[in-house]
Amino acid sequence: MHKKLLTSIILFSIMIPVSSTGWNDARISAYYSVEKAVEENANIILTWISTENIGVTEEDLEYLKELKEEANRKGIKVIVYLAPLEIQTYNVDMDEDGKVDEGKKSIYTEHPEWLQVGEDGRKAVFYGNVAFWVEKHSEDAWICPNDPEYRRIFLEEVKKIAPYVDGIYLDVVIFLNSFGDWEDNYACHCEDCKRLFKEEKGLDIPGKNDKNWKIWIEWREEKIKEFLEDVKREARKVNPDIKIILEHWHGFYDGFKTGWSINLRETVDIMTHEYDAATYDLSLCDFYNLLRDVAILKFYRDLDREKPSWILSYSVKETQSLLAELILETGCNLYETDYPDMEGSADLQKRKEIFNWIKKYEDYYYNTDSIADTAIFYSKDTVESENGDIFFKEFLGDSMMLLQLHIPYNVIFSYDEMDKYNLVIFPYTESPDMEKIEKYMENGGKILAMGKRIGDSYYKPLGNMYISKTAPDFWEVTEKEDPSDILSEFSSIVKNKLFYTDASEKVIVLPSEKNDKVIFRVLNLDGIYPDNLKQRDTDITIVPHFSFEKIDKIDFIEKGHSLYIFDRKTVDIITNEYDYPSAEYLSKFLEENGIKTYIKSDIDRKSENIIVLGGHKAEKTGEITENILNSEEKKNLEKEGYKNIFCKKKNNQKIVVVAGNDRENTKIAAEQFKNRILRYFENIKAVQIELDDFDIKDLDKMKEMGVNTIFLRVFDYDEGGVYFRTDKAPVIKDLLKEVIREAKKRNIDVYAWMTTLNMPWVLKEHEDWAVLDNEHNPNTNWYERVSPFVPEFQDYLISLYRDLASYEIEGIMFQDDLYLAENEDFSKWAEEEYKKEFGKNIDPENPQWSIWKSQKLLNLAKRIIEESKKVNPNLKFVLDTYYDSVIDVNDGIEWFSQDIVGAKEYFDYFAIMSYHRQIAEENDFSIEESLRYLEDISSRARKILGDKAIMKIQICKFDTYNILPDSEINKAFFSIFKGGVPNICLYYYRDDIPFELFKRYFSTAS
Ligand SMILES: [Zn+2]
């Protein structure tokens, strides 16, 4: 309701490329200059002409025409401000006696029948400073939209203006109620209104206590709506693309008093919500006022649904960024100005920065979808009833508590929207539609009725209790009591099942979805006090309950707001129409397990994860599988009753063919092998098992935790033997067999973690086979290894691994003893081989030597892998990898003779020993620094190794074996995810690990 008087200047500016602009991603500025708008990254110009309703001049039209042409060339839209029902006549009360001076003409003197009339019979005309936008010598007259003559004249004006603008911005389209010296004086009782109401409803206009009062209130809303519809229709006759934008003052609880209903969002194209966020005055910025602002802005956003929510709100220099953060957090559009003018700015330079930032990241704010499974019901009927106040406080209090508790919710306005949610909260609600509610509950929906009985649930009016304690106030900061008892009662009945966060209750986390991304908008209101903003970084952890590939964090230009963006793991399911039911079956199963799916009819080359239904003979999909399956697989598929899945990798695509001999068998394959299909696409969620701390019963706990892979130690240095059946090494016990059997029952993959060069039982018999340093001392480095250059040992190693490969294991992990230090190996075998190849002695200074060594180790690994695969062709191989080799590939070669780039060809995974405590010690880092460093390692690993990278997380101190604090482990996870590696292995499993913490990260199914 704040308006700006005009001056008009047209400026021209240099050409810049047209940027994408729309209504949904609007950045609104009130300007007369295209040049300024371009410079400040606005894409909507709101402007004024010499009149706000009738009497538009040729100059006005010329101004609009030129402004629009110029602006549109720069991708900017122009909208014009009109206030159809309020007409000021200037300088008609120069003596300030509250009436028109003798001999002067005004709207009141010329058209008294146009004016609105209050319930008390007064006409709506005011003199003096009735509002800040009215000059003291002006007359301020309010016109009834039901006056046919005025309406006709105004609509003609609209048609004149419409061709020269992209939108019309309408303000104060209301029946007066409280304005000037009118106190709850309901308009309009003019002759036109009396006549129309009688004609349409057969009634006289009722009084407040009359049973027909509500009929009249709704009729007024209807009349405003019809007026707006007329404006829209007439404007579109001359400009079919024009948008009608309606400014709406607060409106969340008293709109009905002025006929300015929230339902007008259906009539107009865009609502601009004028709302006094606490930011208009620094002294009002306390936590609960700002939290209320988030709740109200969220309400607006949900109200407008697919249409944008423009917010006209005010700030001062200190709060300008904070206001932008509030608006962005809720996905609304910023119309930046200072209080109380519509044309102004708290700081133009800052506006420019803010708009520029929004422009860059607008994708994460606009046209996103909700992922909330909780709804709160806004009952317009109840707001307009005598218990409106109880309802509104309950609604607001419940909303604020949901925000504090990080429970994603949407505001819904109709019973038909309930079906999309698991839980619907009804704040104190009058005359609920029990039939629809009961049907919703029959379909499994849950109802929470706050403070009033609906269906089976009954609760205290916690929202009202919360509001009376926290006392959010628009005009001052009032004394508060701690509401945590209420908050904790509320949290015992409403839960967030969509994600975990360690954010405090002063940090707002709102998720939304767009394509394959889930975007968490985070707003930190901690550290904000009246007159003192000490906003803090949004340094929090978020763990969603779905599978993801990657996390990004983007910070706003100021502290306090960030975006956490998760790239979801997605799988395309390719099917023909016959196998469609199987596609749906798999889609449902994968979605339940946190993977997003798309059912398609053809392969998208950009998709990374693909399921194809049907073998090479299947209609349509057969053309795809023809090239994927080998001849043996095809031959099998031609056997009657045959069914299987085939996991393939082609370029960078993971493809699973699910096929049977016929349609029926394809269906059976989908059902029978669904867990194996899931496993192929799932991230690795592994634990590494040291045998001292392992009991076979622990597998149950791991299963519950969400572990899908174990790396089981199958050797012991002290006892000098192995835990699998072989005649080539001392067998301590055939534990592997037992573990495989039990793990299979629990759908957990077993990898045998096996030593390579460090074999005490071999060294015992062949002391002279040891790795030697440059002074020919045996094993001066960490591990006591056999030289990899001993041919006999190489053969021995291969035969031992072949025995291991004969088990039904998923794969083998090489212990981190497959290395040679900088000063190794000077055994006679190494020296001889080097001399044979290069014709000279080893020169430790020559880099060629370390390259040669790493090549030799790689060749040995390759031989082991190839020979093992002859026994068990599907075996996967994992290399225990030093983090140094990831940070700098050349360091890895020089220090450990570990060439991970070369190894990529042979190994399926690299388990990177990113133990942050150890890293801190080695590099003299603080623990914080080391945790941040994990992000670098992870990001390097992702780059070099892609989805072959697994990051290991240290869970205890390696000296005292004490478990590390939860907060530290949380940070380690999050750093790694931010770096881009989603595959995790805990080092190492113990029965006293923080079970709930790991469960949070490992169990993706909701
Ligand atoms: Zn009227």
Side-chain angles (χ1 to χ4, degrees):
M1 218 147 107
H2 297 143
K3 315 196 302 175
K4 169 71 185 84
L5 297 177
L6 60 127
T7 45
S8 48
I9 317 154
I10 303 165
L11 290 172
F12 295 93
S13 64
I14 49 153
M15 287 289 288
I16 59 140
V18 175
S19 63
S20 73
T21 176
W23 300 97
N24 282 24
D25 60 355
R27 301 177 297 278
I28 309 110
S29 283
Y31 274 129
Y32 305 103
S33 150
V34 175
E35 189 183 35
K36 270 186 166 177
V38 167
E39 193 196 324
E40 289 171 13
N41 301 302
N43 59 2
I44 305 273
I45 295 177
L46 172 61
T47 196
W48 280 261
I49 50 175
S50 68
T51 173
E52 294 177 345
N53 26 64
I54 55 174
V56 58
T57 64
E58 284 306 315
E59 288 78 25
D60 285 334
L61 298 178
E62 190 58 27
Y63 160 69
L64 290 176
K65 185 167 178 273
E66 287 184 30
L67 185 68
K68 179 174 184 282
E69 278 172 10
E70 173 72 4
N72 286 178
R73 274 202 294 274
K74 310 284 165 59
I76 295 170
K77 294 189 191 328
V78 171
I79 59 180
V80 67
Y81 180 96
L82 296 180
L85 303 184
E86 185 191 20
I87 304 183
Q88 291 185 49
T89 319
Y90 305 111
N91 305 320
V92 289
D93 180 22
M94 300 312 286
D95 57 8
E96 298 174 30
D97 66 347
K99 52 183 190 246
V100 176
D101 302 337
E102 278 285 324
K104 288 186 178 168
K105 287 178 182 176
S106 73
I107 289 294
Y108 176 61
T109 63
E110 300 307 293
H111 305 285
E113 74 286 0
W114 285 4
L115 268 61
Q116 295 187 21
V117 175
E119 201 174 3
D120 66 2
R122 282 193 281 168
K123 281 193 189 292
V125 61
F126 305 88
Y127 300 91
N129 289 111
V130 63
F132 76 86
W133 63 87
V134 180
E135 286 169 350
K136 63 181 176 181
H137 297 133
S138 295
E139 173 191 285
D140 191 38
W142 291 76
I143 316 298
C144 179
N146 290 331
D147 183 90
E149 186 191 24
Y150 177 75
R151 186 144 160 169
R152 186 178 47 73
I153 296 170
F154 177 71
L155 292 176
E156 284 306 314
E157 300 286 321
V158 166
K159 273 160 80 176
K160 279 190 212 160
I161 295 168
Y164 305 118
V165 290
D166 298 298
I168 295 178
Y169 187 102
L170 298 170
D171 195 6
V172 285
V173 188
I174 56 172
F175 286 113
L176 281 198
N177 175 270
S178 303
F179 185 77
D181 59 354
W182 286 28
E183 190 62 41
D184 253 7
N185 187 16
Y186 282 77
C188 173
H189 291 71
C190 80
E191 293 309 312
D192 291 314
C193 285
K194 284 181 184 166
R195 178 180 48 80
L196 266 180
F197 189 62
K198 186 88 180 181
E199 272 173 31
E200 293 178 7
K201 301 289 170 187
L203 296 168
D204 291 327
I205 295 177
K208 247 169 260 177
N209 298 319
D210 195 295
K211 65 176 172 18
N212 294 325
W213 174 253
K214 180 103 175 136
I215 297 175
W216 186 59
I217 290 292
E218 283 173 358
W219 181 80
R220 292 160 86 233
E221 290 179 2
E222 200 53 39
K223 292 293 120 184
I224 296 287
K225 189 176 164 203
E226 284 170 13
F227 179 79
L228 291 167
E229 267 165 2
D230 280 2
V231 174
K232 185 163 82 176
R233 193 190 53 244
E234 292 305 309
R236 292 217 167 131
K237 277 183 187 165
V238 291
N239 180 353
D241 298 327
I242 201 167
K243 300 285 186 233
I244 304 300
I245 300 121
L246 178 72
E247 184 176 318
H248 193 247
W249 163 253
H250 280 213
F252 37 78
Y253 65 93
D254 62 356
F256 70 96
K257 291 186 175 177
T258 54
W260 218 357
S261 141
I262 56 167
N263 289 352
L264 292 175
R265 56 109 192 261
E266 287 155 15
T267 306
V268 298
D269 297 301
I270 297 164
M271 292 258 253
T272 297
H273 305 276
E274 186 184 15
Y275 173 70
D276 284 322
T279 49
Y280 78 86
D281 186 334
L282 185 56
S283 72
L284 296 176
C285 292
D286 86 332
F287 170 71
Y288 291 105
N289 280 353
L290 291 163
L291 183 64
R292 170 211 58 203
D293 292 343
V294 177
I296 301 274
L297 293 170
K298 165 87 178 126
F299 161 79
Y300 287 144
R301 187 65 215 98
D302 291 347
L303 171 72
D304 296 324
R305 277 179 264 185
E306 76 285 356
K307 296 173 180 174
S309 305
W310 291 8
I311 305 296
L312 170 55
S313 198
Y314 306 95
S315 64
V316 294
K317 213 173 156 112
E318 294 89 337
T319 61
Q320 193 183 19
S321 294
L322 178 60
L323 175 61
E325 290 171 15
L326 296 171
I327 288 170
L328 287 172
E329 175 69 14
T330 47
C332 296
N333 296 81
L334 178 62
Y335 171 177
E336 202 273 319
T337 185
D338 57 348
Y339 191 80
D341 288 327
M342 289 181 76
E343 190 217 25
S345 174
D347 183 322
L348 277 171
Q349 181 54 37
K350 186 58 103 187
R351 175 201 285 181
K352 183 175 163 179
E353 282 174 48
I354 292 171
F355 275 178
N356 189 43
W357 193 90
I358 297 173
K359 192 174 162 188
K360 199 166 165 192
Y361 298 111
E362 62 188 18
D363 264 0
Y364 301 128
Y365 294 98
Y366 307 122
N367 306 311
T368 62
D369 297 319
S370 165
I371 63 165
D373 60 356
T374 297
I376 181 161
F377 190 88
Y378 183 87
S379 166
K380 182 171 171 291
D381 282 343
T382 310
V383 161
E384 296 173 6
S385 75
E386 57 186 11
N387 291 319
D389 194 44
I390 302 176
F391 167 82
F392 189 70
K393 280 183 181 159
E394 189 61 38
F395 173 81
L396 186 60
D398 294 344
S399 302
M400 287 165 73
M401 285 192 281
L402 290 169
L403 290 170
Q404 280 211 273
L405 297 170
H406 313 118
I407 297 168
Y409 71 96
N410 287 335
V411 182
I412 59 170
F413 297 83
S414 110
Y415 295 93
D416 299 328
E417 293 174 89
M418 290 193 294
D419 281 345
K420 287 180 240 160
Y421 303 92
N422 296 331
L423 171 72
V424 179
I425 299 172
F426 283 85
Y428 187 92
T429 304
E430 297 287 358
S431 8
D433 185 337
M434 285 317 299
E435 202 180 312
K436 284 191 173 158
I437 290 175
E438 270 158 24
K439 191 152 177 254
Y440 167 73
M441 291 198 289
E442 273 166 31
N443 293 335
K446 289 195 190 70
I447 293 288
L448 184 57
M450 306 302 293
K452 199 173 164 87
R453 185 179 289 277
I454 297 180
D456 295 330
S457 74
Y458 180 73
Y459 275 103
K460 285 188 268 182
L462 292 176
N464 271 276
M465 293 157 76
Y466 177 90
I467 291 293
S468 64
K469 285 202 170 192
T470 58
D473 192 301
F474 283 106
W475 321 116
E476 58 185 326
V477 168
T478 37
E479 208 164 302
K480 280 147 209 316
E481 285 171 60
D482 182 4
S484 43
D485 53 335
I486 297 164
L487 202 56
S488 103
E489 187 168 344
F490 193 75
S491 79
S492 70
I493 50 178
V494 189
K495 294 258 180 304
N496 169 13
K497 297 195 185 84
L498 299 175
F499 64 93
Y500 160 84
T501 179
D502 60 355
S504 86
E505 286 165 351
K506 287 191 167 182
V507 178
I508 315 301
V509 182
L510 290 174
S512 62
E513 191 176 20
K514 188 170 203 170
N515 304 325
D516 297 337
K517 293 180 192 300
V518 176
I519 303 139
F520 290 85
R521 301 187 199 121
V522 178
L523 173 65
N524 192 350
L525 296 177
D526 203 0
I528 294 180
Y529 306 96
D531 294 316
N532 187 4
L533 302 186
K534 282 195 179 144
Q535 267 188 290
R536 295 181 192 158
D537 287 328
T538 62
D539 184 18
I540 61 160
T541 300
I542 296 170
V543 189
H545 291 178
F546 53 75
S547 265
F548 58 89
E549 298 274 6
K550 193 169 176 297
I551 303 175
D552 268 332
K553 183 180 179 233
I554 300 168
D555 293 322
F556 188 56
I557 46 175
E558 301 269 325
K559 285 183 177 183
H561 174 59
S562 302
L563 295 161
Y564 288 68
I565 298 150
F566 290 73
D567 282 3
R568 286 199 65 172
K569 192 178 272 282
T570 62
V571 174
D572 285 359
I573 304 174
I574 316 298
T575 185
N576 58 34
E577 56 181 306
Y578 305 110
D579 294 316
Y580 199 85
S582 302
E584 280 185 311
Y585 174 85
L586 282 176
S587 161
K588 186 166 177 275
F589 172 73
L590 292 173
E591 296 260 349
E592 277 167 4
N593 283 282
I595 294 177
K596 196 174 163 90
T597 59
Y598 297 100
I599 299 179
K600 296 180 177 173
S601 59
D602 216 340
I603 283 193
D604 179 347
R605 239 177 289 165
K606 278 177 283 177
S607 307
E608 288 177 5
N609 303 312
I610 295 162
I611 294 171
V612 185
L613 287 169
H616 58 296
K617 298 256 164 148
E619 203 171 297
K620 281 185 180 164
T621 54
E623 295 162 27
I624 303 166
T625 35
E626 176 69 41
N627 299 319
I628 297 172
L629 299 172
N630 62 37
S631 54
E632 196 191 333
E633 289 160 343
K634 285 184 211 166
K635 219 161 77 193
N636 282 332
L637 277 170
E638 280 163 28
K639 291 180 198 152
E640 201 170 320
Y642 187 84
K643 56 205 158 286
N644 210 342
I645 63 165
F646 309 93
C647 298
K648 305 279 180 174
K649 245 186 178 175
K650 217 179 160 191
N651 304 324
N652 274 327
Q653 293 182 312
K654 273 182 164 179
I655 304 174
V656 177
V657 178
V658 181
N661 175 250
D662 55 14
R663 208 173 295 159
E664 186 52 32
N665 277 297
T666 297
K667 183 170 170 271
I668 296 170
E671 289 164 7
Q672 191 176 330
F673 303 121
K674 62 178 188 227
N675 280 316
R676 269 175 58 205
I677 298 167
L678 171 67
R679 179 61 40 83
Y680 192 58
F681 296 116
E682 264 183 332
N683 295 332
I684 300 264
K685 294 171 278 190
V687 292
Q688 196 160 342
I689 296 172
E690 296 274 8
L691 293 173
D692 293 348
D693 293 276
F694 175 67
D695 185 296
I696 201 101
K697 284 197 293 266
D698 290 337
L699 288 170
D700 282 330
K701 222 170 148 183
M702 293 176 196
K703 175 75 193 161
E704 202 196 324
M705 218 165 88
V707 167
N708 61 17
T709 304
I710 55 175
F711 298 119
L712 178 77
R713 186 175 182 129
V714 294
F715 59 95
D716 192 305
Y717 293 142
D718 297 336
E719 299 222 17
V722 297
Y723 287 90
F724 58 95
R725 198 185 52 247
T726 178
D727 56 8
K728 297 168 188 83
V731 177
I732 303 163
K733 184 187 169 190
D734 186 2
L735 178 69
L736 185 57
K737 189 177 159 191
E738 199 186 341
V739 173
I740 290 169
R741 192 182 60 229
E742 292 304 311
K744 267 201 194 317
K745 287 185 199 161
R746 293 162 179 82
N747 194 29
I748 294 174
D749 287 346
V750 179
Y751 284 71
W753 164 27
M754 181 59 184
T755 184
T756 62
L757 304 184
N758 190 355
M759 293 204 179
W761 57 90
V762 175
L763 277 180
K764 213 160 130 190
E765 281 181 37
H766 303 278
E767 231 175 284
D768 57 327
W769 285 9
V771 165
L772 302 182
D773 69 10
N774 48 344
E775 285 164 3
H776 291 90
N777 294 317
N779 280 312
T780 46
N781 203 272
W782 177 255
Y783 282 114
E784 304 208 341
R785 286 146 300 151
V786 182
S787 168
F789 294 95
V790 180
E792 257 182 281
F793 176 63
Q794 293 173 2
D795 293 341
Y796 167 79
L797 208 48
I798 287 163
S799 65
L800 184 60
Y801 266 75
R802 282 175 61 101
D803 284 350
L804 182 55
S806 69
Y807 281 81
E808 281 184 68
I809 44 178
E810 188 71 16
I812 296 173
M813 178 200 240
F814 283 14
Q815 160 78 327
D816 59 354
D817 58 351
L818 189 65
Y819 76 98
L820 290 168
E822 286 165 283
N823 60 346
E824 296 169 342
D825 166 22
F826 284 84
S827 69
K828 66 175 181 197
W829 289 274
E831 284 177 335
E832 275 167 18
E833 199 162 336
Y834 190 84
K835 195 159 190 174
K836 206 168 82 195
E837 283 184 41
F838 295 98
K840 56 184 178 190
N841 290 330
I842 292 169
D843 171 12
E845 300 305 314
N846 189 341
Q848 188 189 48
W849 183 52
S850 28
I851 295 170
W852 177 77
K853 284 193 295 178
S854 60
Q855 196 52 50
K856 290 288 158 192
L857 285 181
L858 207 53
N859 284 344
L860 177 59
K862 185 186 161 197
R863 281 185 62 204
I864 297 173
I865 291 170
E866 282 172 356
E867 290 299 319
S868 302
K869 282 192 176 175
K870 284 182 186 160
V871 180
N872 187 345
N874 293 323
L875 271 190
K876 294 184 189 126
F877 283 85
V878 185
L879 182 65
D880 224 0
T881 307
Y882 293 93
Y883 76 89
D884 319 66
S885 307
V886 175
I887 288 292
D888 188 328
V889 176
N890 293 324
D891 282 354
I893 293 172
E894 198 179 324
W895 299 345
F896 312 110
S897 309
Q898 194 172 63
D899 172 13
I900 58 163
V901 174
K904 247 177 90 176
E905 200 182 319
Y906 313 112
F907 286 90
D908 299 277
Y909 293 108
F910 294 80
I912 299 152
M913 294 178 278
S914 43
Y915 307 139
H916 66 275
R917 282 279 183 145
Q918 189 177 318
I919 292 169
E921 248 170 67
E922 287 171 7
N923 297 279
D924 210 10
F925 288 165
S926 70
I927 291 164
E928 281 296 315
E929 282 169 333
S930 186
L931 285 165
R932 276 198 297 274
Y933 191 55
L934 291 183
E935 191 180 332
D936 295 345
I937 301 175
S938 171
S939 129
R940 287 283 301 161
R942 179 83 197 186
K943 221 176 192 167
I944 301 170
L945 302 168
D947 60 2
K948 291 188 169 188
I950 299 171
M951 293 281 284
K952 290 214 235 171
I953 286 187
Q954 179 177 1
I955 67 151
C956 66
K957 290 184 189 171
F958 292 154
D959 48 3
T960 61
Y961 299 102
N962 290 333
I963 295 277
L964 298 173
D966 281 13
S967 59
E968 208 173 306
I969 299 174
N970 251 329
K971 283 225 168 74
F973 265 104
F974 212 63
S975 273
I976 289 169
F977 289 152
K978 264 161 64 187
V981 175
N983 297 320
I984 299 286
C985 171
L986 308 189
Y987 186 75
Y988 54 92
Y989 181 81
R990 288 173 25 175
D991 59 5
D992 60 347
I993 58 164
F995 179 78
E996 288 300 328
L997 189 155
F998 290 117
K999 192 175 166 186
R1000 193 185 295 151
Y1001 284 95
F1002 281 177
S1003 66
T1004 51
S1006 46

